Amino acid sequence: MSSINIKSVDWFGRAQNFFPGGVNSPVRAFKAVGGVPPVLAKGEGPYVHDIDGNRYLDFVGSWGPLIAGHAHPDVVEAAIKAIRSGSSFGAPTPAELELAELIKKAIPAMELLRFVSSGTEATMSALRLARGFTGREKIIKFAGCYHGHADLLLAQAGSGVATLGLPDSPGVPRAVTQDTIVLPFNDLTAVEEVFARQGREIAALIVEPIAGNMGMVMPQAGYLAGLRRLTEQAEVVLIFDEVMTGFRVARGSAQALFGITPDLTCLGKVIGGGFPCAAFGGRREIMQKLAPLGPVYQAGTLSGNPVAMAAGAATLRLLEQDAAYKKLNQHSQHLTEGLARLSKKYSLPLQVAQAGGMLGMFFAPRPVQNYDDARTSDTKRYARFFHEMLNRGFYFAPSQFEAAFVSLAHTSSQIDETLAAAGEVLALLASAAE
Ligand code: PLP
């Protein structure tokens, strides 16, 4: 660690006395890449600044929400205006309707929706609702997909085939995950087999339509359509967890990109413009089972918070212009194509993927289709790449198994600068490999 980060090192040392591992969410602690995280003091457009005075071009964007960049004037104005009128009421407000209209316009499958405060709440509530609606208990998720930290979702496949989920984390009772079936992503046959055996016991199938939490993995051609067909036949509720991909890969989200209509959709991140806000919604007949219309209980003191609603609406308005997604696509394509070119030049195996303002790279020998493939990545090489880029002023996610994000604030010349730095770093990695 260079001396220029002395304040961050000191701060992070003190933080150990307050927070487990010095952080309030685990990946922030840099365990996967080593070292001490820069402690961030300020965000400005595409940049973040740490307390030591270093500036980084940011490809994390608070893990996805900041599609407009940091402190976009429209978002700041909207939030300030809202807070001047009161920060929370726990009662209906006009702002809820404004954000809901913007969401429904882009994602018509969300016939009715409910706002919550985090992606975890959205997926957890959607699954409770699906169970309440179908009267069935089992759910299917895919290895390497992350849907937040609710107990029932902290389960992973052991052998990559249909198994009863085992608790992934101490503290999760076996009884809670025994109805969670974990299957490999991009493998329709695995789903078919489970449905043939126990389709009528399954309440819901939840999937990240473009996986972003094992690194970025695109669905194979026909995979999502296959999931739609199978769930429809078995009357299983199909849930697209678009907490990451929602308004990120396209205005209509991944479901518009692939032309698939799920029964329920979960959103988060972008729709709150950097404030705690998420949502779940979908078919009216399912959503009507939710209290107070129906018997499935779900509630939240801060749900539909007016400051988050206002910031979210300001963000979605920026995304209404067609040019927005053109720009996001151009920048992330420019970056992934540049990285692919450089990896060829230096004979380093690198797999890249891109959709809208989301991109991914794996230091893996073969194209990545699922979690097992993702785990063939050279995580040490990624750690070296990450630190060399950070030292040059480029802030990527501190883990091989995360996506990268570009914002409307990034410029083409900043992507060129990133590729110039990546060229130096990949040359270093290639020489280290010799
Ligand atoms: N679902 C997906 C696809 C996510 O990427 C995340 C968070 O990264 C979540 C759910 C959980 O969201 P939150 O961290 O807001 O609880």
Side-chain angles (χ1 to χ4, degrees), residues 297-344:
Y297 196 69
Q298 190 283 331
T301 302
L302 292 173
S303 294
N305 175 268
V307 184
M309 297 290 108
T315 302
L316 297 198
R317 267 188 234 108
L318 291 168
L319 295 169
E320 287 214 296
Q321 300 138 21
D322 284 343
Y325 287 96
K326 203 165 152 211
K327 185 172 177 187
L328 290 168
N329 263 305
Q330 267 168 1
H331 289 342
S332 50
Q333 252 162 32
H334 183 174
L335 191 50
T336 45
E337 284 167 10
L339 286 169
R341 223 177 13 254
L342 288 167
S343 75
K344 254 203 196 106

Side-chain angles (χ1 to χ4, degrees), residues 6 37 41 62-63 75 129 148-149 162 207 250 293 349 362 380 426:
I6 196 112
S62 184
W63 302 94
V75 180
L129 177 61
H149 64 94
V207 64
L293 283 183
F362 289 104
K380 287 207 178 80
L426 293 180

Side-chain angles (χ1 to χ4, degrees), residues 118-121 123 146-149 208 213 241 243-244 269:
S118 70
T120 295
E121 266 186 273
T123 57
Y146 176 69
H147 305 290
H149 64 94
E208 289 180 73
N213 284 289
D241 178 354
V243 167
M244 187 180 286
K269 298 190 189 274

